[in-house]
Amino acid sequence: MTEGRCVFWNAEEGWGVVVGDAGPGEVWVHFSALSVPGYRELRADERVSFRWETPRGGQDGYAHRATRVIPLDRA
């Protein structure tokens, strides 16, 4: 898992972007990859731990996509 932060989240469309502290750059995230109970969303600047992959052809203009994201700042 890579640690980083959310840089953008579009709650209306259910996707966003995270970046790792020492990782692949911008990584596309779909709400279905979030490991949280209830309504799944991130907040800008929220600390996260995530797994990512590089799909052939990228994901919606991003070279990488997250496969699992865990928010770190939540109790």
Side-chain angles (χ1 to χ4, degrees):
M1 299 280 281
T2 300
E3 287 195 12
R5 66 183 176 85
C6 175
V7 294
F8 167 79
W9 187 259
N10 183 327
E12 191 172 299
E13 295 184 11
W15 70 276
V17 177
V18 297
V19 294
D21 295 336
E26 293 187 332
V27 177
W28 184 88
V29 178
H30 188 257
F31 78 91
S32 63
L34 300 179
S35 293
V36 297
Y39 185 74
R40 294 181 279 183
E41 70 176 341
L42 294 174
R43 296 179 295 273
D45 290 325
E46 184 170 22
R47 297 287 302 162
V48 296
S49 179
F50 64 96
R51 287 191 186 129
W52 56 277
E53 65 185 8
T54 305
R56 178 175 287 201
Q59 178 71 52
D60 294 338
Y62 294 89
H64 313 289
R65 75 173 161 228
T67 58
R68 183 172 186 209
V69 180
I70 301 170
L72 299 176
D73 296 335
R74 298 182 189 180

